[in-house]
Amino acid sequence: MTLTPELKAKIDDLVTQNKIMVFMKGNKLMPQCGFSNNVVQVLNTLGATYETFDVLEDPEIRQGIKEYSHWPTIPQVYISGEFIGGSDVIIDMFNNNKEELEQKVAVALAS
């Protein structure tokens, strides 16, 4: 599958219309995998307001988001339109560089 212009535009809209966007399995109320749940727990701990997109409901976006970000796994976290990383990156930032993650979240929510 290739990232068509239409699919890229759809993902662009989701990433730019939401200050914090998480592409994940399930949603923030019911994560469907441990990695997605880890991201939800970190964002909830930080008090972040964010949106989620359940890739299990849209196979086109599930594959397309991997090509869009050049990142092979789900979940994927975008803050202020910037790809931050997956579960491992978010957990690492939370554990080792919490101030940077808190600042990114605060700036996104304040804009």
Side-chain angles (χ1 to χ4, degrees):
M1 174 184 250
T2 58
L3 187 62
T4 64
E6 297 80 17
L7 182 56
K8 182 181 182 305
K10 187 174 179 180
I11 294 171
D12 279 340
D13 282 346
L14 288 167
V15 168
T16 58
Q17 297 298 316
N18 298 288
K19 295 173 187 212
I20 301 175
M21 184 72 212
V22 182
F23 293 87
M24 61 182 282
K25 294 176 182 174
N27 60 52
K28 61 180 148 186
L29 298 177
M30 193 177 294
Q32 296 295 309
C33 82
F35 298 110
S36 294
N37 185 55
N38 290 340
V39 168
V40 165
Q41 295 306 315
V42 167
L43 292 174
N44 287 347
T45 298
L46 295 175
T49 302
Y50 59 98
E51 293 301 322
T52 60
F53 186 95
D54 184 355
V55 299
L56 297 175
E57 294 183 359
D58 191 328
E60 193 175 51
I61 288 204
R62 183 178 185 172
Q63 183 57 39
I65 193 64
K66 296 173 186 179
E67 295 174 32
Y68 182 88
S69 63
H70 307 290
W71 189 264
T73 59
I74 303 290
Q76 294 188 14
V77 179
Y78 291 79
I79 300 177
S80 299
E82 174 191 1
F83 175 60
I84 303 301
S87 176
D88 53 343
V89 173
I90 296 300
I91 290 169
D92 183 61
M93 285 181 80
F94 185 75
N95 290 332
N96 301 311
N97 200 357
K98 190 175 181 182
E99 297 79 24
E100 180 186 356
L101 184 57
E102 287 173 326
Q103 183 177 8
K104 284 182 181 295
V105 167
V107 167
L109 298 178
S111 62

